[in-house]
Amino acid sequence: MANSYAQPVLRTTDLSEGLRVVERLLAIADLRELEIDYEARVSSTRTLTPLLEVLPRAMWYAEGDSEASSEAGDDPSAHLPIRVRARAADPETVGPFLKSLHDTPATVRWDFEGWPAAPEVGLGYGGSRGAFVTLCVNVRDLDLEQPATDHTVFVHVKQIEAERAPWLAAQVGLQVIGDLVMAPY
């Protein structure tokens, strides 16, 4: 599967504002087969314990030199900091996931069937291989490398349909605020 490309459309210190923008974007998307993917860079048990209660089947791996992981059956609290990932989670887990984070850098990605046609920019229906919305929490980038005190909403599109990102932003009263970047899978 090819990577999507993402472009930021909102940066805010108000997490609820970020969620409202996500909801507005999802309102124009084809939400068939909606799934939620999570990733977090966890460095404390204060976050780890509630996060694993919300996502008990999440996978994790230690950052740095350690080879500790959920696959090896290791204790995650003994190997902090770790990366926690969960794929294809239910939408109902978003609120509890966000509440568990405190100041932990994390992403929530909504994965769905497609974007609507954008005839104004010459694009038809945008299928699932480039139809996502990501909310970056306490971090500025999709790779969780730039911790921040704010949150960023990204729209994902196919690279060959880059003009869809500003079109999507305009549909919810916004504009793109940064460059189009290749998103991690």
Side-chain angles (χ1 to χ4, degrees):
M1 174 185 271
N3 286 41
S4 66
Y5 282 75
Q7 198 157 17
V9 298
L10 176 75
R11 185 163 291 123
T12 180
T13 57
D14 182 354
L15 185 57
S16 61
E17 180 184 12
L19 284 169
R20 282 191 299 274
V21 167
V22 167
E23 289 171 2
R24 290 182 4 230
L25 287 162
L26 294 177
I28 63 172
D30 179 345
L31 297 182
R32 288 178 293 162
E33 300 183 32
L34 177 66
E35 294 179 344
I36 311 296
D37 297 335
Y38 298 106
E39 185 167 357
R41 204 169 176 195
V42 181
S43 58
S44 74
T45 56
R46 174 180 179 230
T47 299
L48 179 63
T49 301
L51 187 131
L52 291 179
E53 287 173 7
V54 172
L55 302 170
R57 293 184 304 273
M59 298 182 66
W60 65 270
Y61 64 91
E63 292 194 316
D65 294 337
S66 175
E67 293 186 23
S69 70
S70 54
E71 288 183 357
D74 297 312
D75 174 8
S77 61
H79 299 282
L80 298 172
I82 62 171
R83 290 270 185 145
V84 176
R85 290 187 175 144
R87 302 281 187 242
D90 292 326
E92 296 79 30
T93 58
V94 172
F97 175 80
L98 293 173
K99 286 179 184 170
S100 74
L101 292 177
H102 307 289
D103 60 353
T104 298
T107 60
V108 181
R109 187 179 85 173
W110 287 261
D111 180 353
F112 43 86
E113 188 63 30
W115 289 119
E120 300 89 341
V121 292
L123 296 173
Y125 179 83
S128 62
R129 290 183 47 172
F132 310 108
V133 175
T134 298
L135 173 61
C136 292
V137 181
N138 304 315
V139 67
R140 289 268 174 107
D141 67 308
L142 298 164
D143 294 313
L144 302 175
E145 298 294 331
Q146 301 171 19
T149 57
D150 54 20
H151 320 291
T152 304
V153 176
F154 286 83
V155 293
H156 296 248
V157 297
K158 296 175 186 172
Q159 184 182 25
I160 62 170
E161 296 181 353
E163 57 275 3
R164 188 182 303 277
W167 182 87
L168 288 165
Q171 301 313 297
V172 297
L174 298 171
Q175 58 186 357
V176 295
I177 58 171
D179 295 332
L180 190 70
V181 297
M182 186 167 43
Y185 176 68

